[in-house]
Amino acid sequence: MATETSSGEAAAKDEGRKPAGKRTSPALFVRQIIAELRKVIWPTRKELITYTTVCLVFVLVMIGIVAGLDWLLTKGIFWVFG
């Protein structure tokens, strides 16, 4: 549950972050990025190919639907307005 406080410090402690006034050094920032990237579960080659294929097929289907609707609407407009 989120609560408002008069100082940002109490809210920052609840969330495990630093108070708003202090900045993270660039070196610490990079270390944190690397630590987070180590937590990522990277897809296998087979999964990556599958995901890519599914995305491409979906995009092609959507292109077909939009192009078809565009063609139909164009024909309809020309039929109505000559």
Side-chain angles (χ1 to χ4, degrees), residues 3-79:
T3 58
E4 289 187 30
T5 59
S6 58
S7 71
E9 228 173 290
K13 285 182 185 176
D14 290 342
E15 296 177 17
R17 288 188 262 158
K18 291 183 177 184
K22 297 187 180 180
R23 295 182 58 111
T24 302
S25 70
L28 177 59
F29 181 69
V30 170
R31 284 196 304 267
Q32 288 174 344
I33 290 173
I34 292 169
E36 289 298 319
L37 286 174
R38 286 191 178 128
K39 296 178 188 177
V40 174
I41 299 173
W42 297 98
T44 63
R45 185 175 187 86
K46 183 179 177 184
E47 290 172 336
L48 187 62
I49 290 170
T50 302
Y51 297 155
T52 303
T53 304
V54 168
C55 287
L56 289 175
V57 168
F58 176 76
V59 168
L60 290 174
V61 167
M62 293 307 295
I63 288 172
I65 291 171
V66 170
L69 287 173
D70 181 52
W71 182 79
L72 284 173
L73 290 172
T74 301
K75 290 293 181 185
I77 294 296
F78 281 136
W79 180 75

